[in-house]
Amino acid sequence: MSKKKLLTPLSSLLLLRRTLTSTPHFSIPHFQSRTNFSPNIEKLRPLFPLPGFDFPGKSFISSQFGNKPNSPTAGTAALPLKRRLFCSAPPVGASNPSITPSITFRYLDCKERKYDSVEEHLEGKYKDWQKKLHPDLVHSKSEKEREYAAEQSARVIDAYRTLSKPLARAIYILKLEGVDIDEEETLSDLDLLSEILEVREAVEEAPNSQALNQIQSLMQEKLKQWSNSFAEAFESRNFEEAVKAIRRMTYYERVNEEIVKRQ
Amino acid sequence: MLRLVSKRLLQGSREAQLPAALTLPRLYHERVVDHYDNPRNVGSFDKNDPSVGTGLVGAPACGDVMKLQIKVGDDGKITDAVFKTFGCGSAIASSSVATEWVKGKQMEEVLTIKNTEIAKHLSLPPVKLHCSMLAEDAIKAAVKDYQTKLAKSSNGSSEASPVEKAANA
């Protein structure tokens, strides 16, 4: 008994270690703690290599906004903050009024509208934004400015959620091109449907969590594969293929949701 | 503990297709809830059976899959029907109703079943109309599958006629 007791913490520690090193998912809190404890914010600069991104305490005003004090948006009390927040690159999506303003690339990706290059710096950019918009930094400012910061913070969260998930990002990026995939029509792609039916039955009949995990990793693989085909199709502007890939991803994502529910 | 977990798992697998009815919002009509709680004709037929027609359809927007199968007698009457749906409550209820409605009817007759009738019967809200549409399409697909099979088997038994060859080409 006492032996068992002695062993438990060690084994659980080992287990924890293993999960930390093997699954990328767990590396996020690790990263977070590193940024929180780092006393020298300059060290983080290489993580956010974007024009216009700067850190609290520095001059925020980008040259473009700085030279145009009488821009059409001037006049609101929130402007000083607004000036600091947007990078000099033209906001993507601003040209298309049909897009929900709450989720646009300009918040988290100022450089280019590319499907597969987004993820790399997303995490860092997201945290950088949230640092700038932190309530502690604006608590002494006017109410309008505080409100503005809170609203922008919500939008950044929205944008992060959209861009960090391959499926949501794919749907969004295609929407920017004017292709809406919110389709009501019935699908009769027998290959896909019978595959999904089989997988859903397997999930339903899975005897244990091990079997579920196996299906889940298969789905992750499929998602990755179709995310790549989406990237390819999107790159060559083959939107028909891109929509097809999104359909596949929707179904695989749905299976994943079901597995998570059952786990 | 283990026993508890396994019990839960076992229960889960039995109810997997129909997760707890409690999760259904109250705004659904009692018929939807009824069909969701006690779905009629859940199951599968052998899809290779020549007397079976299989309709497999999906809703791409929400990732639902619906399978509806009919068993057809020599007189062209549907003797039995089953379904298996992985989707929301409305989709399950719609396909459950569909299997009830097609039983005992002629194939031509079931092709006239409209999604609006199913939706009306279940008082589906507008956002769930596509679920009844899915059921209508599943019926049509099942009949079509049966007819294709029938044509093929008659094709195989006799020498393929030039007309049929042309149709296949």
Side-chain angles (χ1 to χ4, degrees):
Chain A
M1 189 63 199
S2 64
K3 198 177 171 190
K4 201 178 173 188
K5 255 188 188 166
L6 269 173
L7 275 173
T8 328
L10 185 68
S11 60
S12 62
L13 199 75
L14 280 174
L15 203 76
L16 187 71
R17 227 194 123 116
R18 210 176 309 146
T19 44
L20 270 174
T21 47
S22 62
T23 49
H25 176 75
F26 280 91
S27 63
I28 292 163
H30 180 63
F31 171 70
Q32 204 167 21
S33 62
R34 197 170 34 144
T35 52
N36 285 346
F37 290 123
S38 170
N40 185 1
I41 216 155
E42 282 298 318
K43 268 188 190 164
L44 291 169
R45 189 179 284 279
L47 286 172
F48 319 110
L50 282 180
F53 272 97
D54 223 321
F55 291 93
K58 305 259 168 192
S59 161
F60 285 111
I61 302 164
S62 66
S63 57
Q64 196 192 352
F65 279 111
N67 293 339
K68 283 187 200 165
N70 294 324
S71 64
T73 45
T76 62
L79 192 62
L81 186 67
K82 205 171 189 170
R83 271 195 205 140
R84 299 178 219 150
L85 290 177
F86 289 115
C87 62
S88 48
V92 175
S95 55
N96 190 340
S98 69
I99 289 151
T100 343
S102 58
I103 32 172
T104 52
F105 267 79
R106 67 181 162 157
Y107 284 96
L108 295 169
D109 188 79
C110 299
K111 256 193 308 195
E112 49 184 341
R113 215 195 294 184
K114 271 192 90 176
Y115 175 72
D116 45 3
S117 66
V118 171
E119 256 166 310
E120 258 172 74
H121 303 291
L122 196 63
E123 177 96 18
K125 282 179 216 160
Y126 169 67
K127 282 181 182 154
D128 185 31
W129 273 112
Q130 293 299 21
K131 261 183 233 153
K132 287 183 196 173
L133 295 164
H134 198 277
D136 284 355
L137 290 170
V138 288
H139 76 278
S140 57
K141 301 273 161 51
S142 71
E143 194 181 324
K144 264 196 176 160
E145 236 174 306
R146 285 200 312 264
E147 263 172 30
Y148 185 78
E151 185 201 316
Q152 294 302 312
S153 172
R155 287 187 179 186
V156 167
I157 292 171
D158 221 355
Y160 179 68
R161 278 194 191 136
T162 305
L163 296 182
S164 59
K165 290 181 209 136
L167 176 58
R169 184 166 75 244
I171 293 172
Y172 171 70
I173 202 170
L174 212 54
K175 208 172 173 184
L176 289 181
E177 297 292 336
V179 183
D180 212 335
I181 64 114
D182 186 27
E183 40 193 353
E184 289 277 294
E185 100 247 33
T186 302
L187 185 68
S188 52
D189 177 349
L190 286 185
D191 283 343
L192 170 62
L193 289 172
S194 37
E195 181 191 329
I196 294 300
L197 195 73
E198 220 169 274
V199 178
R200 293 292 294 261
E201 276 171 349
V203 170
E204 188 187 279
E205 287 154 15
N208 48 36
S209 57
Q210 209 177 346
L212 282 177
N213 288 343
Q214 217 169 352
I215 303 170
Q216 194 170 31
S217 55
L218 182 74
M219 288 301 105
Q220 297 295 6
E221 221 172 274
K222 294 256 183 193
L223 271 171
K224 183 108 193 73
Q225 182 193 329
W226 284 95
S227 172
N228 288 342
S229 351
F230 174 85
E232 246 169 67
F234 185 77
E235 197 72 15
S236 52
R237 300 189 68 79
N238 184 348
F239 294 150
E240 204 179 307
E241 278 300 309
V243 169
K244 230 185 195 169
I246 286 182
R247 261 190 214 149
R248 288 259 170 186
M249 287 162 81
T250 308
Y251 271 101
Y252 297 133
E253 200 68 77
R254 194 70 189 77
V255 177
N256 260 343
E257 277 169 31
E258 212 50 43
I259 292 172
V260 169
K261 253 193 236 168
R262 303 210 49 203
Q263 267 167 344
Chain B
M1 183 61 193
L2 244 177
R3 200 182 299 152
L4 242 172
V5 171
S6 61
K7 209 172 165 188
R8 258 184 69 183
L9 273 173
L10 277 176
Q11 259 179 353
S13 65
R14 219 175 298 138
E15 294 169 358
Q17 199 176 341
L18 322 152
L22 292 167
T23 55
L24 263 185
R26 272 173 190 272
L27 50 104
Y28 281 111
H29 192 269
E30 57 184 59
R31 281 190 187 136
V32 177
V33 180
D34 177 35
H35 276 278
Y36 187 77
D37 283 346
N38 316 293
R40 331 293 199 258
N41 316 309
V42 177
S44 287
F45 295 143
D46 175 13
K47 65 171 185 205
N48 297 318
D49 183 338
S51 68
V52 168
T54 304
L56 190 56
V57 291
C62 41
D64 288 356
V65 208
M66 184 182 287
K67 185 176 80 170
L68 191 144
Q69 292 180 299
I70 51 169
K71 201 169 242 176
V72 187
D74 295 333
D75 53 355
K77 206 182 228 176
I78 295 168
T79 54
D80 206 356
V82 287
F83 82 96
K84 198 154 208 188
T85 295
F86 293 97
C88 64
S90 302
I92 290 170
S94 295
S95 39
S96 178
V97 168
T99 54
E100 275 196 323
W101 284 6
V102 300
K103 268 198 215 177
K105 289 198 178 120
Q106 287 289 330
M107 276 193 293
E108 296 75 35
E109 209 182 334
V110 301
L111 287 178
T112 63
I113 293 175
K114 286 272 165 294
N115 79 302
T116 44
E117 297 167 57
I118 299 171
K120 204 176 156 199
H121 179 76
L122 294 170
S123 304
L124 292 181
V127 287
K128 290 293 179 184
L129 281 183
H130 69 277
C131 298
S132 59
M133 195 67 218
L134 212 55
E136 181 193 319
D137 290 334
I139 296 173
K140 286 188 175 137
V143 170
K144 197 177 160 198
D145 180 57
Y146 173 77
Q147 284 169 340
T148 317
K149 266 187 190 170
L150 198 69
K152 257 190 197 157
S153 68
S154 63
N155 218 1
S157 57
S158 60
E159 285 294 307
S161 67
V163 181
E164 276 165 334
K165 262 186 192 163
N168 285 336

